[in-house]
mmCIF file of all heavy atoms in Angstrom:
data_model
loop_
_atom_site.group_PDB
_atom_site.id
_atom_site.type_symbol
_atom_site.label_atom_id
_atom_site.label_comp_id
_atom_site.label_asym_id
_atom_site.label_seq_id
_atom_site.Cartn_x
_atom_site.Cartn_y
_atom_site.Cartn_z
ATOM 1 N N ASN A 301 11.114 -5.937 1.384
ATOM 2 C CA ASN A 301 11.253 -7.221 2.077
ATOM 3 C C ASN A 301 11.915 -6.949 3.404
ATOM 4 O O ASN A 301 11.390 -6.211 4.158
ATOM 5 C CB ASN A 301 11.846 -8.334 1.224
ATOM 6 C CG ASN A 301 13.208 -8.039 0.561
ATOM 7 O OD1 ASN A 301 13.305 -7.251 -0.266
ATOM 8 N ND2 ASN A 301 14.245 -8.801 0.987
ATOM 9 N N ASP A 302 13.004 -7.612 3.771
ATOM 10 C CA ASP A 302 13.466 -7.637 5.140
ATOM 11 C C ASP A 302 13.546 -6.305 5.871
ATOM 12 O O ASP A 302 14.030 -5.296 5.244
ATOM 13 C CB ASP A 302 14.918 -8.165 5.146
ATOM 14 C CG ASP A 302 15.213 -9.351 4.344
ATOM 15 O OD1 ASP A 302 14.254 -9.967 3.800
ATOM 16 O OD2 ASP A 302 16.367 -9.737 4.238
ATOM 17 N N GLN A 318 14.549 -3.461 3.110
ATOM 18 C CA GLN A 318 14.955 -3.810 1.675
ATOM 19 C C GLN A 318 13.839 -3.275 0.794
ATOM 20 O O GLN A 318 12.632 -3.576 0.981
ATOM 21 C CB GLN A 318 15.018 -5.355 1.519
ATOM 22 C CG GLN A 318 16.220 -5.960 2.239
ATOM 23 C CD GLN A 318 17.499 -5.554 1.523
ATOM 24 O OE1 GLN A 318 17.786 -6.137 0.480
ATOM 25 N NE2 GLN A 318 18.213 -4.624 1.989
ATOM 26 N N TRP A 326 10.629 -7.618 -6.453
ATOM 27 C CA TRP A 326 11.971 -7.512 -5.840
ATOM 28 C C TRP A 326 12.954 -7.091 -6.898
ATOM 29 O O TRP A 326 12.899 -7.425 -8.105
ATOM 30 C CB TRP A 326 12.380 -8.924 -5.287
ATOM 31 C CG TRP A 326 13.659 -9.023 -4.598
ATOM 32 C CD1 TRP A 326 13.816 -8.765 -3.247
ATOM 33 C CD2 TRP A 326 14.923 -9.254 -5.170
ATOM 34 N NE1 TRP A 326 15.250 -8.911 -2.919
ATOM 35 C CE2 TRP A 326 15.861 -9.206 -4.031
ATOM 36 C CE3 TRP A 326 15.429 -9.518 -6.393
ATOM 37 C CZ2 TRP A 326 17.207 -9.414 -4.265
ATOM 38 C CZ3 TRP A 326 16.864 -9.791 -6.574
ATOM 39 C CH2 TRP A 326 17.695 -9.714 -5.405
ATOM 40 N N MET A 329 18.016 -3.301 -4.937
ATOM 41 C CA MET A 329 17.883 -3.205 -3.528
ATOM 42 C C MET A 329 18.512 -1.882 -2.977
ATOM 43 O O MET A 329 19.624 -1.633 -2.977
ATOM 44 C CB MET A 329 18.517 -4.465 -2.806
ATOM 45 C CG MET A 329 17.532 -5.595 -2.918
ATOM 46 S SD MET A 329 16.021 -5.285 -1.961
ATOM 47 C CE MET A 329 14.771 -5.651 -3.219
ATOM 48 N N PHE A 359 22.063 -4.998 0.285
ATOM 49 C CA PHE A 359 21.289 -6.068 0.894
ATOM 50 C C PHE A 359 21.134 -5.802 2.406
ATOM 51 O O PHE A 359 21.682 -4.828 3.004
ATOM 52 C CB PHE A 359 22.010 -7.358 0.575
ATOM 53 C CG PHE A 359 21.508 -8.084 -0.667
ATOM 54 C CD1 PHE A 359 20.879 -7.323 -1.643
ATOM 55 C CD2 PHE A 359 21.700 -9.470 -0.846
ATOM 56 C CE1 PHE A 359 20.401 -7.901 -2.789
ATOM 57 C CE2 PHE A 359 21.205 -10.064 -2.017
ATOM 58 C CZ PHE A 359 20.576 -9.266 -3.034
ATOM 59 N N SER A 360 20.591 -6.801 3.127
ATOM 60 C CA SER A 360 20.142 -6.600 4.487
ATOM 61 C C SER A 360 21.290 -6.387 5.478
ATOM 62 O O SER A 360 22.439 -6.721 5.190
ATOM 63 C CB SER A 360 19.374 -7.816 4.953
ATOM 64 O OG SER A 360 18.082 -7.713 4.421
ATOM 65 N N ARG A 418 26.139 -12.878 3.808
ATOM 66 C CA ARG A 418 25.404 -11.544 3.778
ATOM 67 C C ARG A 418 24.655 -11.414 5.119
ATOM 68 O O ARG A 418 24.686 -12.282 5.921
ATOM 69 C CB ARG A 418 24.358 -11.519 2.649
ATOM 70 C CG ARG A 418 23.404 -12.715 2.637
ATOM 71 C CD ARG A 418 22.540 -12.643 1.411
ATOM 72 N NE ARG A 418 21.561 -13.761 1.375
ATOM 73 C CZ ARG A 418 21.774 -14.891 0.866
ATOM 74 N NH1 ARG A 418 23.022 -15.116 0.218
ATOM 75 N NH2 ARG A 418 20.928 -15.841 0.884
ATOM 76 N N ASP A 419 24.080 -10.266 5.325
ATOM 77 C CA ASP A 419 23.113 -9.848 6.388
ATOM 78 C C ASP A 419 23.818 -9.752 7.722
ATOM 79 O O ASP A 419 23.498 -10.446 8.664
ATOM 80 C CB ASP A 419 21.973 -10.908 6.452
ATOM 81 C CG ASP A 419 21.311 -11.191 5.166
ATOM 82 O OD1 ASP A 419 21.417 -10.358 4.282
ATOM 83 O OD2 ASP A 419 20.740 -12.238 5.071
ATOM 84 N N GLU A 466 20.519 -17.304 6.493
ATOM 85 C CA GLU A 466 20.157 -15.896 6.308
ATOM 86 C C GLU A 466 19.713 -15.101 7.517
ATOM 87 O O GLU A 466 19.040 -15.605 8.457
ATOM 88 C CB GLU A 466 18.972 -15.729 5.323
ATOM 89 C CG GLU A 466 19.263 -16.250 3.921
ATOM 90 C CD GLU A 466 18.162 -15.755 2.922
ATOM 91 O OE1 GLU A 466 16.973 -15.691 3.276
ATOM 92 O OE2 GLU A 466 18.547 -15.604 1.798
ATOM 93 N N CYS A 467 19.918 -13.823 7.450
ATOM 94 C CA CYS A 467 19.393 -12.819 8.415
ATOM 95 C C CYS A 467 19.477 -13.248 9.863
ATOM 96 O O CYS A 467 18.384 -13.429 10.579
ATOM 97 C CB CYS A 467 17.908 -12.554 8.027
ATOM 98 S SG CYS A 467 17.711 -11.962 6.311
ATOM 99 N N TYR A 519 9.007 -13.703 7.583
ATOM 100 C CA TYR A 519 10.460 -14.037 7.305
ATOM 101 C C TYR A 519 11.417 -12.981 7.692
ATOM 102 O O TYR A 519 10.952 -11.842 7.888
ATOM 103 C CB TYR A 519 10.632 -14.270 5.707
ATOM 104 C CG TYR A 519 11.817 -15.015 5.323
ATOM 105 C CD1 TYR A 519 11.894 -16.342 5.599
ATOM 106 C CD2 TYR A 519 12.829 -14.416 4.611
ATOM 107 C CE1 TYR A 519 12.967 -17.048 5.167
ATOM 108 C CE2 TYR A 519 13.994 -15.120 4.231
ATOM 109 C CZ TYR A 519 14.070 -16.483 4.501
ATOM 110 O OH TYR A 519 15.150 -17.180 4.135
ATOM 111 N N ALA A 520 12.660 -13.339 7.947
ATOM 112 C CA ALA A 520 13.705 -12.359 8.057
ATOM 113 C C ALA A 520 13.511 -11.273 9.115
ATOM 114 O O ALA A 520 13.765 -10.072 8.851
ATOM 115 C CB ALA A 520 14.017 -11.719 6.702
ATOM 116 N N TRP A 537 9.258 -9.452 8.130
ATOM 117 C CA TRP A 537 8.691 -9.081 6.800
ATOM 118 C C TRP A 537 7.490 -10.058 6.567
ATOM 119 O O TRP A 537 7.646 -11.279 6.671
ATOM 120 C CB TRP A 537 9.794 -9.390 5.774
ATOM 121 C CG TRP A 537 9.264 -9.567 4.320
ATOM 122 C CD1 TRP A 537 8.208 -9.039 3.664
ATOM 123 C CD2 TRP A 537 9.942 -10.413 3.333
ATOM 124 N NE1 TRP A 537 8.176 -9.442 2.404
ATOM 125 C CE2 TRP A 537 9.190 -10.234 2.190
ATOM 126 C CE3 TRP A 537 11.074 -11.289 3.331
ATOM 127 C CZ2 TRP A 537 9.483 -11.020 0.996
ATOM 128 C CZ3 TRP A 537 11.379 -11.900 2.165
ATOM 129 C CH2 TRP A 537 10.623 -11.818 1.049
HETATM 130 C C1 FRU B 801 16.345 -12.446 2.871
HETATM 131 C C2 FRU B 801 17.297 -11.908 1.827
HETATM 132 C C3 FRU B 801 18.657 -11.573 2.483
HETATM 133 C C4 FRU B 801 19.168 -10.544 1.582
HETATM 134 C C5 FRU B 801 17.949 -9.819 1.185
HETATM 135 C C6 FRU B 801 18.025 -9.306 -0.210
HETATM 136 O O1 FRU B 801 14.993 -12.218 2.540
HETATM 137 O O2 FRU B 801 17.507 -12.822 0.823
HETATM 138 O O3 FRU B 801 19.468 -12.667 2.709
HETATM 139 O O4 FRU B 801 20.102 -9.671 2.173
HETATM 140 O O5 FRU B 801 16.887 -10.631 1.292
HETATM 141 O O6 FRU B 801 16.898 -8.483 -0.500
#
Side-chain angles (χ1 to χ4, degrees):
N301 56 293
D302 314 351
Q318 288 290 282
W326 186 88
M329 282 297 128
F359 269 21
S360 287
R418 57 182 180 272
D419 310 337
E466 299 192 323
C467 303
Y519 199 69
W537 160 34

